[in-house]
Amino acid sequence: MGTTVFERRRPAQSVIDRSLSDTAFGVFWLDDVERPKHPSLTGSVRADLAIVGGGYAGLWTAVRAKERDPERRVVLLEASRVAWAASGRNGGFCEASLTHGHENGLTRWPEEIDRLEELGLENLDGIEQTVERYGMQADFERTGQLAVAVEPHQVEWYRDEEGFLDREAVQAEVHSDTFLAGAWEKDACALVHPAKLGMELARVAVELGVEIHEHSLVRRVEGDGSSAITLVTEHGSVTADAVALATNVFPSLLKRNRLMTVPVYDYVLMTEPLSEAQLASIGWSNRQGLADSANQFHYYRLTADNRILFGGYDAVYHYGGKVRPEYEDRMESHRKLASHFFTTFPQLEGLHFTHRWAGAIDSSSRFCAFFGTARTGRVSYATGFTGLGVGAARFAADVMLDKLSGEKTERTELQMVREKPIPFPPEPAASIGVNLVRAAMNQADHNEGKRNLFLKTLDAVGMGFDS
């Protein structure tokens, strides 16, 4: 069994310790943005459309609903604060892919993949146009994404791809001795400030007439669909003709979906702003998003003030599938990320990390969102984005609204939209299975990417795991 570059080229422990010596445990994005407050729900409210969840999926649904019908009364309920969870703490990669990458989509929906990729690019265009139309200050940069090979066997994965860069060319883009080759998709990804995007979506929604209520946890859904549906909170209720559920990583309000996703924790570091000399030492003048190519991969990008966000690698599932704040503080993962960061950029030794945090990802067995309706079509839902929800949430919003309209559209008739993923097993099988998968993926990364029989079997039954 071989070793990876991050094991062969470990920085000195003193470099890691110094970089984390005064790091704040908290989400940089949420510290860096003004967060307007919205009142909690009190009393009974009647609406045309009620939305549960104040992240990207819920906010896009609210905005798109009002753009379709400005007279529609739309009420959005958020259990905590707008964009406080995954939507405020992700890496800010707004990707065009609706299928978690070309290979995943090709394997599952080969007859649709070309159109799905066109729809994904149209969706990203729509996000960019919305940002421009409403003057949204979200640090939106459509700089693309550069996938990099950091092990010799990975180079061949990119050689036939459009945008292939050999070692010399990839080094000209971003200087890291770990980069052996890469492929730059120049139009299929934008970078955003995640929390600013969330706050701006909320601003636009309110300006369009949406009523947002924070600290309004929905405790139950009442009604069988024969008439309006009622959402009950601690201090109030909303009765609506249609309901969109966008709770994602949190337990579904529909029992049928309780085993369809599992929460997997992802860990992130943010550096202090780089000096001009530090930035010159790594190049990166085209400001692409970066991701390396292992199963346990890293993602990294520059912020508007030239910090580097560095995240990924560890993906941790906790027994019982709970979402708990204490799972976010995992120094073991943050130390590992710091080590990998200075393996990637040894010329930046001495740089400090200002923030470290984590967030839970709503992982589905097919690695991208799935959709459906309940209560005779009065309730729609989308969940299971598996880390690629920044862009795909807008597409999901349109799918949910299409389904609630009762009309067949190109989106609703897609096989990808009509199919459901395989559910995860209940505990203890879920925990055993997820940990076996993590071990097998780690083994593959140490064996030139070769997947063992266990992973190949999961691939064959439609539960293939990939980065």
Side-chain angles (χ1 to χ4, degrees):
M1 193 67 66
T3 57
T4 69
V5 65
F6 301 106
E7 294 162 329
R8 296 191 298 270
R9 302 187 189 178
R10 287 178 179 166
Q13 188 61 45
S14 60
V15 172
I16 298 169
D17 292 342
R18 189 164 55 248
S19 72
L20 293 167
S21 60
D22 55 358
T23 304
F25 175 58
V27 183
F28 168 80
W29 305 121
L30 295 174
D31 287 350
D32 191 49
V33 70
E34 183 179 347
R35 303 173 70 186
K37 294 181 179 179
H38 303 274
S40 60
L41 178 69
T42 57
S44 299
V45 173
R46 189 67 169 83
D48 298 305
L49 171 66
I51 300 166
V52 184
Y56 294 146
L59 291 167
W60 273 116
T61 303
V63 169
R64 299 293 288 161
K66 292 295 283 186
E67 288 179 334
R68 292 185 182 201
D69 181 1
E71 301 304 313
R72 181 186 299 181
R73 186 177 184 185
V74 179
V75 176
L76 184 150
L77 304 177
E78 164 54 43
S80 181
R81 300 288 304 280
V82 163
W84 75 276
S87 297
R89 59 184 66 213
N90 62 81
F93 286 67
C94 187
E95 298 190 37
S97 178
L98 305 175
T99 61
H100 204 108
H102 177 79
E103 289 303 318
N104 189 52
L106 178 63
T107 299
R108 298 180 189 282
W109 305 290
E111 295 179 0
E112 288 184 351
I113 186 60
D114 290 343
R115 182 56 182 149
L116 287 170
E117 295 194 338
E118 290 173 352
L119 289 170
L121 285 168
E122 290 172 11
N123 180 65
L124 183 55
D125 289 342
I127 294 172
E128 184 171 16
Q129 291 158 9
T130 301
V131 168
E132 293 174 355
R133 182 164 62 251
Y134 295 111
M136 296 168 67
Q137 302 301 308
D139 297 347
F140 186 96
E141 300 179 83
R142 196 158 177 178
T143 51
Q145 181 168 249
L146 174 59
V148 294
V150 295
E151 301 289 350
H153 69 270
Q154 297 169 2
V155 174
E156 297 306 313
W157 298 350
Y158 297 112
R159 194 172 298 280
D160 295 329
E161 288 199 16
E162 184 178 349
F164 173 74
L165 304 176
D166 62 16
R167 181 180 175 83
E168 181 179 356
V170 78
Q171 293 287 332
E173 290 298 325
V174 185
H175 181 59
S176 170
D177 286 340
T178 65
F179 296 172
L180 306 179
W184 182 9
E185 285 189 294
K186 296 187 177 181
D187 198 44
C189 181
L191 298 178
V192 298
H193 185 303
K196 286 184 180 179
L197 178 60
M199 298 306 119
E200 287 288 83
L201 282 171
R203 173 185 66 80
V204 171
V206 169
E207 290 177 356
L208 292 174
V210 175
E211 300 160 50
I212 296 177
H213 296 283
E214 295 180 321
H215 302 295
S216 300
L217 173 67
V218 175
R219 299 189 178 279
R220 63 183 184 275
V221 180
E222 296 181 347
D224 61 6
S226 59
S227 59
I229 301 294
T230 298
L231 303 174
V232 180
T233 70
E234 184 177 1
H235 299 293
S237 64
V238 178
T239 300
D241 297 319
V243 170
L245 301 180
T247 54
N248 297 310
V249 78
F250 297 97
S252 176
L253 289 164
L254 301 174
K255 290 183 179 179
R256 70 179 68 175
N257 286 338
R258 294 284 170 86
L259 295 177
M260 301 300 280
T261 62
V262 294
V264 175
Y265 276 83
D266 182 53
Y267 295 85
V268 187
L269 292 173
M270 182 72 83
T271 74
E272 62 190 336
L274 273 64
S275 68
E276 289 187 11
Q278 288 170 326
L279 196 57
S281 74
I282 60 173
W284 214 346
S285 60
N286 286 314
R287 300 180 59 81
Q288 312 96 323
L290 297 178
D292 56 47
S293 307
N295 289 304
Q296 295 176 288
F297 69 100
H298 308 87
Y299 54 87
Y300 23 134
R301 49 79 55 94
L302 291 166
T303 65
D305 61 349
N306 291 328
R307 300 168 184 264
I308 298 177
L309 175 142
F310 193 79
Y313 196 79
D314 276 348
V316 181
Y317 172 79
H318 294 274
Y319 186 92
K322 303 295 184 183
V323 179
R324 292 176 174 165
E326 56 264 34
Y327 294 156
E328 298 170 20
D329 189 1
R330 192 172 192 265
M331 203 64 200
E332 173 190 351
S333 291
H334 288 124
R335 288 195 186 98
K336 190 180 296 180
L337 282 174
S339 174
H340 294 178
F341 178 89
F342 290 112
T343 294
T344 304
F345 297 122
Q347 64 268 49
L348 296 181
E349 286 186 9
L351 194 67
H352 288 82
F353 297 105
T354 62
H355 292 73
R356 62 181 182 89
W357 71 91
I361 295 171
D362 56 329
S363 299
S364 73
S365 64
R366 74 182 201 176
F367 273 75
C368 61
F370 63 93
F371 314 88
T373 60
R375 312 292 169 93
T376 67
R378 288 186 181 269
V379 175
S380 66
Y381 59 84
T383 189
F385 292 94
T386 320
L388 263 69
V390 181
R394 180 183 178 275
F395 177 83
D398 280 328
V399 171
M400 286 193 284
L401 292 170
D402 285 353
K403 284 181 170 292
L404 290 172
S405 75
E407 299 178 8
K408 290 184 177 181
T409 67
E410 180 185 16
R411 283 182 290 260
T412 64
E413 297 309 293
L414 289 168
Q415 185 181 358
M416 185 200 76
V417 170
R418 290 186 286 108
E419 287 184 349
K420 300 291 189 297
I422 297 171
F424 292 95
E427 295 291 9
S431 186
I432 294 170
V434 171
N435 287 322
L436 284 173
V437 168
R438 286 190 66 206
M441 293 172 75
N442 182 62
Q443 182 186 53
D445 287 339
H446 287 79
N447 190 30
E448 299 185 343
K450 297 172 184 175
R451 297 162 80 83
N452 65 16
L453 181 60
F454 178 56
L455 289 181
K456 290 178 179 178
T457 301
L458 292 177
D459 291 340
V461 300
M463 292 188 73
F465 287 75
D466 200 354
S467 61

